[in-house]
Amino acid sequence: MKLDLKEFEAKLLAPSTALIEDIKKIDGDIMFLGIGGKMGPSMAILTIQAVKAAGIEKKVIGASRFSNGSLREELEREGIETIACDLLNEEDLKKLPQVPNIIYLAGHKFGTTGNEDFTWAMNAYLPGLVSSHFKNSKIVAFSSGNVLPFVNLKEGGVSEEQSPEPIGEYAQSCLGRERIFEYFSKKNNTPMLIYRLNYAVDFRYGVLIEIAKAVNTGKPVDLTTQNVNVIWQGDANEIAIRSLLHCSSPAKILNVTGPEILSTKWIAEQFGLLLNKTPQFTGSGADTALLNNASECHRLFGYPRTTIREAIEHTANWILNGGELWNKDTHFQERGGKF
């Protein structure tokens, strides 16, 4: 069906009643470090919308290099204060105001191979600088399900109790990030929550759009990774903001994803029906996958508002109506840890 894409997106990204109630309980302003990535802008906009809907006074601040594009102006139009800052520059970092609540989004993934030193600096050195500067704040620090081991499909995913077994330098540096945050949480008694996400999906990027694009263009869908977890980005954003109420010292670890272990083939077949295309397939299914047990997340926040069928339908409608797509693939099929 023909959609007004801006109206469609605005409706789906509006804050929930639960977020509006929780934003009232979060004491003080909120700063997003590394706001310029895939999730930062929509998360900050969601936060300012929740603040307005709650009828309270609270600053929402975004720090990033803002090196190109119009993002800074777009955020400021929404009422978000912005600070241009290279977080790896210690002088820039020291100038950031002390804010009671920090959501840490900075990191480096794609382009790790051949640029390993920068990846480790961003993912494992910078967290120490941030933890020291914001030792009196609450910090929700984004991590990745990539730190977890591949498990047999029959095991139902990995919960927070299982020890990490990262494959490749990107995943290893993500575990380094977690360990540094954990160290400073204990050292300075800083309340933290380490937010292990895989995989957020949106109209413009993520596992669903990657599969949908392949189906729509007749490209074979690789079934080597035959199962996957996803969560709608709007829900992942809400969980991140609400997680400020669940920070602790020592740092709390939280797996974040949807409740299902999904079949890659089934997802492709659903897009085939909606896009009126016949999916093509390649590869034979491996017995293991990177799967995340997020039952603790669902205990704290409930199941995601957006169901997987709704997410698939939204994505198909976005494609059929010519919505903008980002060239930021997750490479969820990668099994050797090279990004």
Side-chain angles (χ1 to χ4, degrees), residues 25-40:
K25 303 172 188 174
I26 296 170
D27 186 25
D29 300 334
I30 301 173
M31 178 183 286
F32 294 85
L33 298 181
I35 198 173
K38 291 184 292 189
M39 296 180 69

Side-chain angles (χ1 to χ4, degrees), residues 65-92:
R65 285 176 296 175
F66 297 114
S67 53
N68 51 52
S70 59
L71 176 61
R72 188 173 191 180
E73 291 74 18
E74 292 170 9
L75 293 173
E76 289 179 347
R77 280 199 300 270
E78 295 286 343
I80 297 161
E81 296 185 16
T82 62
I83 300 172
C85 172
D86 179 353
L87 295 173
L88 274 176
N89 183 318
E90 293 187 45
E91 294 305 312
D92 280 5

Side-chain angles (χ1 to χ4, degrees), residues 77-317:
R77 280 199 300 270
E78 295 286 343
I80 297 161
E81 296 185 16
T82 62
I83 300 172
C85 172
D86 179 353
L87 295 173
L88 274 176
N89 183 318
E90 293 187 45
E91 294 305 312
D92 280 5
L93 184 61
K94 289 175 183 176
K95 293 176 184 176
L96 290 178
Q98 292 296 322
V99 174
N101 301 287
I102 300 295
I103 296 184
Y104 179 90
L105 299 162
H108 186 251
K109 179 177 183 179
F110 301 117
T112 291
T113 301
N115 200 19
E116 290 84 356
D117 54 345
F118 178 73
T119 299
W120 281 92
M122 281 296 297
N123 293 350
Y125 171 68
L126 179 58
L129 300 179
V130 168
S131 296
S132 295
H133 184 67
F134 291 107
K135 64 183 180 181
N136 297 316
S137 302
K138 292 181 178 178
I139 300 175
V140 172
F142 267 60
S143 185
S144 169
N146 283 87
V147 303
L148 299 172
F150 280 69
V151 292
N152 190 283
L153 304 181
K154 297 177 182 179
E155 293 183 19
V158 182
S159 68
E160 294 87 351
E161 292 82 8
Q162 188 160 342
S163 297
E165 295 179 29
I167 298 173
E169 292 227 22
Y170 164 67
Q172 291 164 9
S173 72
C174 289
L175 181 57
R177 172 172 53 203
E178 291 191 5
R179 296 304 191 215
I180 296 300
F181 275 123
E182 287 178 297
Y183 169 77
F184 280 98
S185 177
K186 292 177 182 177
K187 178 178 184 287
N188 298 324
N189 200 31
T190 301
M192 295 189 188
L193 182 142
I194 294 171
Y195 182 103
R196 283 182 183 161
L197 174 67
N198 67 301
Y199 291 96
V201 295
D202 180 65
F203 309 112
R204 301 173 183 85
Y205 83 96
V207 172
L208 295 187
I209 200 69
E210 291 168 42
I211 296 173
K213 286 192 298 184
V215 171
N216 200 41
T217 59
K219 179 182 176 183
V221 176
D222 188 349
L223 296 181
T224 304
T225 297
Q226 59 179 325
N227 294 89
V228 68
N229 301 127
V230 303
I231 183 170
W232 188 247
Q233 180 174 289
D235 293 310
N237 285 347
E238 291 217 356
I239 292 167
I241 300 160
R242 296 174 67 194
S243 288
L244 287 165
L245 294 173
H246 297 275
C247 295
S248 64
S249 176
K252 180 176 179 62
I253 307 289
L254 189 69
N255 290 352
V256 181
T257 196
E260 304 95 348
I261 294 176
L262 297 165
S263 158
T264 306
K265 186 173 187 287
W266 177 82
I267 294 171
E269 290 169 342
Q270 295 304 303
F271 279 121
L273 294 172
L274 294 169
L275 300 172
N276 197 26
K277 299 290 177 69
T278 301
Q280 306 298 312
F281 299 103
T282 186
S284 57
D287 293 331
T288 60
L290 187 65
L291 298 171
N292 187 324
N293 178 329
S295 56
E296 171 65 2
C297 174
H298 305 147
R299 182 186 73 83
L300 291 175
F301 303 107
Y303 286 125
R305 284 194 300 165
T306 307
T307 68
I308 183 58
R309 285 184 180 266
E310 288 172 327
I312 289 171
E313 289 171 4
H314 297 333
T315 303
N317 279 329

